[in-house]
Amino acid sequence: MHRELRRELWTALAITAAVGAGAAMAGFPLAGVAAGLGLVVALSLRKLARLHRWLVRGRRPPIPELGGLWDEVIREIHRQDRDSERHKERLTGLFDRLQAAASVMPDAMVVLARHDVIEWANPPAERLLGLRIERDTGARIVHLIRDPAFGAYLAAGDYREPLILNGPVEPMAVTLQIIPFGANERLVMARDITHVKRLEDMRQHFVADVSHELRTPLTVLQGFLETFADLFEDQDGEVRSGIALMREQVERMRRLVDDLLALSRLETTPARAHDEVVGMGALLKGLADIATVLGADRGQHIEVENCGADLVGNVEELRSAFTNLVQNAVRHTPAGGSIRLVWRADASEGRFAVADSGEGIAERHIPFLTQRFYRVDSDRSRASGGTGLGLAIVAKVLLRHDARLVVESVLGQGSTFTCVFPSSRLKFPPSPSPPPPPTV
């Protein structure tokens, strides 16, 4: 390249010198130099024009031969074109292989462009989401998947948890996950979980049926044990302690069955479409009374803080969830400790918290607390009368009320369980009307 540049410079100088020398012999040296430079520029513009025409034609053959540095420029352009074409072929091949791989995947994949327009979808999207690829490409996906839950999930922008939907045909069930990428683009992935859901339904119905069938024999057994306790009241301590132990275990089984039935109802019955206003003042007073009765022999101090707002929801479900939190606080707070029931709300959210001064929970246990039968300390939980289902019930109730559970705990200092409700679940008292203006 540098050699060709020097050659172009020497050629330009030679042309200028030759024209200038001829003009000098005629008595016009400066005009000759100017004419020589003009000729060099004219030749360069002619070559540039030919290069431009070649580029405009799409760089198709024949390649113009311009000589010198211009040929070097054309060869470099041609080389970059070949490299770009090879790179394009590699990318096209990779894209074709990716499309082929996506087409044979059992999961549905849909690429959404701006405004949630379908840009591409693989064949399983037709079976799992009810799409028709040729017809629906270019359409907005919310016009095709009309489930309100999907529209709300897509608009919310929080895709950390998957969404479970009914498939296009019964009894198909689909789990759907959205992954944002690029600039305002999203990947929708759907998987058939019909078999998994069927097994889960069978488990739920089995637990509900078994729990219901256990209730009657446990009630009968509890009645007979109470009778035996009265009959053998004058017997020695070993007989009485045996009966007392049996009554304690039957009572524990009854609580377990009740919790299993409550959890089963939450899992198998739909949430109410029209909830009621729950008066938090009365509910907090009832919770404080429960805490006072349960902790009567421990001298625990109960505090209540109420912001005055109410909740919108199912009063029985909320009372069950909050009572479980209060019972846990009473069980795990030592004698003389304190328990605070706090209800606060503002324009963005409402927070019901149960804070205790108990032994606290190690951080490694906190992510698993809402799992069924998960116990931080099995012996301590059984001794305190817990079934291992209380926080699972709390989590289910909160899910049905668009809420979430936040757990904060420090070993040796206590724990705080907070139920966070969205603003749509809050009901604030009306603002007082201003007094009428004084009459003159």
Side-chain angles (χ1 to χ4, degrees):
M1 178 69 75
H2 296 296
R3 184 176 65 254
E4 296 297 334
L5 178 60
R6 286 195 296 271
R7 182 181 299 171
E8 287 290 324
L9 290 174
W10 281 114
T11 301
L13 289 174
I15 292 173
T16 303
V19 175
M25 293 175 61
F28 303 100
L30 293 180
V33 172
L37 291 175
L39 180 60
V40 170
V41 171
L43 292 173
S44 298
L45 289 175
R46 181 173 179 274
K47 293 179 179 180
L48 183 61
R50 293 180 63 189
L51 176 62
H52 177 261
R53 284 196 298 271
W54 178 65
L55 294 174
V56 168
R57 289 201 315 265
R59 305 175 187 178
R60 292 191 302 270
I63 300 174
E65 296 183 2
L66 304 178
L69 182 62
W70 295 95
D71 284 345
E72 288 290 330
V73 171
I74 289 176
R75 280 195 291 271
E76 181 63 23
I77 292 174
H78 191 56
R79 184 188 67 78
Q80 292 187 8
D81 282 347
R82 291 197 307 270
D83 292 344
S84 177
E85 190 65 28
R86 284 195 293 267
H87 184 62
K88 181 180 177 180
E89 289 176 358
R90 286 196 299 269
L91 289 179
T92 302
L94 176 61
F95 181 73
D96 291 341
R97 291 195 297 275
L98 288 175
Q99 277 197 322
S103 298
V104 299
M105 287 181 63
D107 297 342
M109 300 176 66
V110 181
V111 176
L112 302 181
R114 289 176 62 89
H115 308 299
D116 302 323
V117 171
I118 297 175
E119 189 172 37
W120 175 87
N122 67 343
E126 296 191 344
R127 181 177 64 87
L128 298 181
L129 298 176
L131 303 179
R132 295 293 178 267
I133 297 175
E134 292 186 4
R135 179 196 69 190
D136 297 334
T137 299
R140 295 190 66 189
I141 194 169
V142 291
H143 295 161
L144 305 170
I145 303 177
R146 297 183 177 274
D147 193 315
F150 173 74
Y153 181 68
L154 183 65
D158 184 2
Y159 309 129
R160 290 173 294 181
E161 296 295 331
L163 175 69
I164 297 178
L165 296 175
N166 292 325
V169 295
E170 294 290 344
M172 180 185 291
V174 173
T175 179
L176 186 143
Q177 184 90 47
I178 297 179
I179 304 171
F181 72 98
N184 299 316
E185 295 178 302
R186 312 185 212 195
L187 174 65
V188 179
M189 300 186 66
R191 173 172 295 177
D192 186 351
I193 59 166
T194 306
H195 181 62
V196 176
K197 189 174 186 300
R198 187 181 297 116
L199 291 176
E200 178 65 14
D201 291 342
M202 291 173 60
R203 181 195 65 77
Q204 291 176 359
H205 287 106
F206 173 77
V207 170
D209 293 343
V210 170
S211 301
H212 184 74
E213 292 299 325
L214 282 174
R215 216 171 187 181
T216 298
L218 283 174
T219 302
V220 173
L221 186 58
Q222 191 173 30
F224 274 111
L225 287 174
E226 290 175 357
T227 302
F228 290 156
D230 294 335
L231 290 176
F232 294 101
E233 186 177 1
D234 298 331
Q235 297 295 320
D236 58 20
E238 186 174 348
V239 174
R240 289 199 309 273
S241 63
I243 294 175
L245 180 60
M246 285 188 287
R247 291 179 65 184
E248 179 184 332
Q249 293 303 314
V250 168
E251 175 63 21
R252 178 174 172 273
M253 284 296 297
R254 186 191 63 78
R255 288 197 303 269
L256 178 59
V257 168
D258 288 345
D259 282 353
L260 282 170
L261 285 171
L263 193 56
S264 178
R265 282 194 297 270
L266 292 171
E267 291 177 331
T268 56
T269 59
R272 291 184 184 177
H274 302 286
D275 292 314
E276 57 190 308
V277 177
V278 180
M280 288 299 292
L283 184 54
L284 287 170
K285 183 180 182 304
L287 294 172
D289 292 342
I290 291 173
T292 301
V293 171
L294 293 177
D297 58 342
R298 302 188 183 188
Q300 294 169 342
H301 180 60
I302 311 299
E303 298 179 20
V304 178
E305 180 183 330
N306 182 12
C307 69
D310 292 327
L311 263 178
V312 177
N314 185 315
V315 63
E316 296 302 327
E317 292 182 4
L318 291 171
R319 180 183 290 113
S320 172
F322 295 167
T323 300
N324 271 298
L325 294 178
V326 170
Q327 289 174 341
N328 282 346
V330 171
R331 289 192 191 106
H332 300 296
T333 300
S338 63
I339 298 174
R340 297 179 66 240
L341 311 181
V342 180
W343 169 237
R344 296 173 180 167
D346 55 32
S348 60
E349 64 184 18
R351 301 172 71 88
F352 171 73
V354 179
D356 63 60
S357 59
E359 63 268 27
I361 304 167
E363 186 176 356
R364 68 178 184 277
H365 294 296
I366 291 178
F368 311 105
L369 291 177
T370 56
Q371 294 182 2
R372 302 176 191 195
F373 301 111
Y374 185 83
R375 300 175 186 273
V376 176
D377 186 331
S378 300
D379 294 335
R380 185 181 66 188
S381 296
R382 291 194 182 96
S384 63
T387 63
L389 293 173
L391 291 179
I393 293 174
V394 171
K396 287 292 182 183
V397 170
L398 294 183
L399 183 63
R400 289 161 67 94
H401 287 77
D402 312 311
R404 69 184 192 276
L405 180 66
V406 178
V407 182
E408 300 170 294
S409 187
V410 178
L411 280 175
Q413 297 183 24
S415 305
T416 301
F417 289 78
T418 304
C419 307
V420 183
F421 295 87
S423 58
S424 59
R425 289 281 178 176
L426 302 179
K427 184 75 173 179
F428 292 95
S431 302
S433 301
T439 58
V440 180

